[in-house]
Amino acid sequence: MNTSPSPRTRRITRFSSAVAATALCAALAGCGITVPADPGGTLAAVSGGTLRVGTSPDDGLVGMTGGEPSGSIVDLVEDFADSIDAETEWTVDSEETLVTMLEAGDLDLIAGGITAETPWLDRAGVSRGHPGIDGADGREIVMLVPLGENAFLSELETFLDAKVGP
């Protein structure tokens, strides 16, 4: 005895599934739910605005030229800012001070010689490690963002993957 559904039944099932999936997507979009999300609205705030970046000098990655940060990390962050139509505003200080500023909402991003071994995992969102950054000498460089700002982190990681490789 053949118990498999007929071709007509399979077509009806597929059509019903497609209608249900479309209705679910429409309902989620109508609720304003997006994935990944930014509870603090970082990506929306910096896109077309100002990207506040903290950094600390690190040989090969971040130097100081005429009182301004320079180097491969600075160039990379400036390119990221361009990609989201943002201007950068740099703060140079110690890592601990920068992380405190990030937690207080005074910075959007920390970039420098921070590696995947960072001790700031419980205080900041951390990007994937990228070993292909000029001047990193094989270190996997990460960048820090405010905790929970996953849309901003996703945008940054997509940019870094395209620019320096995953």
Side-chain angles (χ1 to χ4, degrees):
M1 175 177 211
N2 185 2
T3 59
S4 64
S6 70
R8 181 172 189 261
T9 302
R10 285 193 297 252
R11 280 194 306 267
I12 291 172
T13 301
R14 280 190 295 231
F15 178 76
S16 297
S17 296
V19 169
T22 302
L24 179 62
C25 289
L28 290 175
C31 294
I33 295 173
T34 59
V35 176
D38 263 356
T42 301
L43 182 58
V46 301
S47 297
T50 301
L51 178 65
R52 301 166 300 167
V53 187
T55 194
S56 297
D58 186 289
D59 285 341
L61 293 170
V62 179
M64 295 299 292
T65 305
E68 296 293 322
S70 61
S72 60
I73 288 287
V74 174
D75 293 344
L76 195 58
V77 170
E78 293 285 350
D79 288 347
F80 171 64
D82 286 346
S83 77
I84 57 172
D85 193 30
E87 298 292 324
T88 55
E89 180 181 289
W90 291 89
T91 298
V92 179
D93 217 316
S94 71
E95 258 185 45
E96 185 170 357
T97 297
L98 295 173
V99 169
T100 299
M101 292 176 72
L102 187 74
E103 288 179 309
D106 297 328
L107 292 175
D108 306 305
L109 175 67
I110 299 174
I114 303 167
T115 68
E117 305 301 320
T118 182
W120 307 116
L121 293 171
D122 60 336
R123 297 178 60 187
V126 180
S127 73
R128 288 189 303 275
H130 293 273
I133 297 175
D134 289 342
D137 295 328
R139 295 178 292 168
E140 285 194 21
I141 300 301
V142 300
M143 296 187 187
L144 308 180
V145 302
L147 274 175
E149 297 303 285
N150 295 327
F152 179 59
L153 181 59
S154 178
E155 184 79 19
L156 175 65
E157 287 184 333
T158 299
F159 172 83
L160 292 173
D161 286 349
K163 193 75 171 182
V164 296

